[in-house]
Amino acid sequence: MKSSAIIVNTSRGGVIKQDALVQALKTNQIRGAGLDVMTPEPLPCDHVLTTLPNCTLVPHIGSAETQTREDMATLCSANLLAGLEGKPMPSQLC
């Protein structure tokens, strides 16, 4: 990446090699990072990423939109009701 790059991760914490990111931020190989996801979550308060001035951490706010939360609640309710009725869950993960 260019030294002027700012990397943003809103997908999964494991997508970015966090140790390599820390090194790149410390040595100014990249300009900055914005992370909505980290490994582990939540990060310990003393994690090095919390101390870097060129790193912004936000607490998984990508799903905080009202419509998204309503859809999540609807999905959860449908799965719960199906499970209670002994039926297959409509949104089963595994």
Side-chain angles (χ1 to χ4, degrees):
M1 298 179 90
K2 293 180 179 182
S3 61
S4 61
I6 297 173
I7 191 164
V8 176
N9 185 10
T10 61
S11 61
R12 297 278 180 244
V15 170
I16 292 178
K17 294 180 181 177
Q18 215 159 259
D19 292 337
L21 175 63
V22 167
Q23 187 63 24
L25 291 168
K26 281 183 168 183
T27 60
N28 295 312
Q29 289 177 303
I30 64 172
R31 183 174 180 188
L35 306 175
D36 181 53
V37 289
M38 296 129 263
T39 302
E41 284 188 353
L43 279 180
C45 294
D46 61 347
H47 193 281
V48 68
L49 285 174
T50 66
T51 67
L52 299 174
N54 54 347
C55 184
T56 300
L57 306 172
V58 294
H60 233 64
I61 61 173
S63 68
E65 189 174 271
T66 302
Q67 186 61 51
T68 302
R69 294 291 169 100
E70 287 176 4
D71 292 346
M72 290 166 66
T74 300
L75 238 163
C76 182
S77 299
N79 279 344
L80 179 64
L81 291 173
L84 290 172
E85 295 172 354
K87 297 178 182 175
M89 292 185 290
S91 299
Q92 187 167 331
L93 294 177
C94 303

